[in-house]
Amino acid sequence: MKISTLVILLCSTLLLSSCGYNSIQRNEEAVFSAWGDVEATYQRRADLIPNLVSTVKAYAAHEKETLTEVVNARAKVGQTKISADMLGDTAAMQQFQQAQGQLSGALSRLLVVVERYPDLKASENFRDLQHQLEGTENRINVARQRYNESVKIFNTSIRTFPNNLTNNFLLNLERKEAFKADAGASTAPKVTF
């Protein structure tokens, strides 16, 4: 009787060690961590924009409309928040991405203004802020890519055998939503001077 109990315990231990419970948990935590990085890079951008707008206003009073769009888009981004527990909500992710897309569009128009009026480039402060903004946009892109990779790993881990059994019977975790391209992003923008 002792040998059969030992065999049952050994088999149970082997089954539990390969059920994926811990790896699913690690993968979900990686998604949350990657989302935190996305939020941090967006926050960095939001912190830079007031300085950028103030500097540009001093040199480009005639482009007030473009600057107002940037300020309004930034305000909308500040109002649109998404928490880690909302990452599975497609509508919330779309709303968040739309607000970020509007801000990116307004910033793109601002940079076109800079190209049209070379005298704005003479400002060393503006050039420095422009480089910081470009770097921030690159960081946002990298953070989005890392987030999407974490989502892919997590979603795969809860859908493949035997982890899918562990998820279905023990965890009941839902798929996470990845960042998607904005509507029309596949069309290259036209820049005219």
Side-chain angles (χ1 to χ4, degrees), residues 1-178:
M1 193 106 176
K2 288 184 177 188
I3 293 178
S4 62
T5 305
L6 183 61
V7 168
I8 291 173
L9 283 173
L10 182 61
C11 288
S12 298
T13 303
L14 289 174
L15 286 173
L16 286 175
S17 68
S18 65
C19 71
Y21 183 88
N22 289 334
S23 64
I24 291 172
Q25 299 294 329
R26 274 191 302 274
N27 292 340
E28 187 177 39
E29 289 302 318
V31 169
F32 294 148
S33 175
W35 181 250
D37 292 344
V38 170
E39 288 182 322
T41 54
Y42 279 136
Q43 183 63 50
R44 182 179 190 276
R45 178 172 71 177
D47 292 344
L48 280 176
I49 289 172
N51 295 327
L52 176 64
V53 170
S54 295
T55 303
V56 173
K57 275 185 178 179
Y59 291 94
H62 58 283
E63 292 298 330
K64 185 176 181 181
E65 180 181 327
T66 303
L67 297 175
T68 302
E69 284 180 35
V70 172
V71 171
N72 291 340
R74 179 185 175 271
K76 188 178 275 188
V77 164
Q79 295 169 355
T80 307
K81 298 285 184 190
I82 189 166
S83 61
D85 60 352
M86 296 172 67
L87 295 178
D89 184 350
T90 303
M93 287 293 286
Q94 285 176 344
Q95 183 182 12
F96 183 80
Q97 283 184 243
Q98 183 181 19
Q100 295 296 336
Q102 287 174 351
L103 180 56
S104 293
L107 290 171
S108 295
R109 286 187 292 282
L110 180 62
L111 293 176
V112 168
V113 167
V114 172
E115 294 296 328
R116 286 185 181 167
Y117 299 97
D119 58 314
L120 292 177
K121 288 187 194 176
S123 166
E124 190 174 321
N125 289 336
F126 179 80
R127 216 173 308 136
D128 290 345
L129 287 169
Q130 186 178 11
H131 289 298
Q132 287 182 28
L133 185 60
E134 180 182 347
T136 299
E137 292 299 317
N138 289 336
R139 287 179 180 147
I140 288 170
N141 187 47
V142 168
R144 285 176 177 169
Q145 290 172 344
R146 288 179 181 162
Y147 170 76
N148 283 349
E149 182 62 23
S150 294
V151 166
K152 181 185 89 171
I153 291 168
F154 172 77
N155 288 344
T156 302
S157 75
I158 65 171
R159 296 181 68 210
T160 55
F161 184 82
N163 293 4
N164 63 340
L165 298 175
T166 301
N167 187 49
N168 290 338
F169 294 116
L170 295 175
L171 299 171
N172 297 313
L173 300 174
E174 294 184 18
R175 292 182 76 243
K176 306 298 184 204
E177 285 293 319

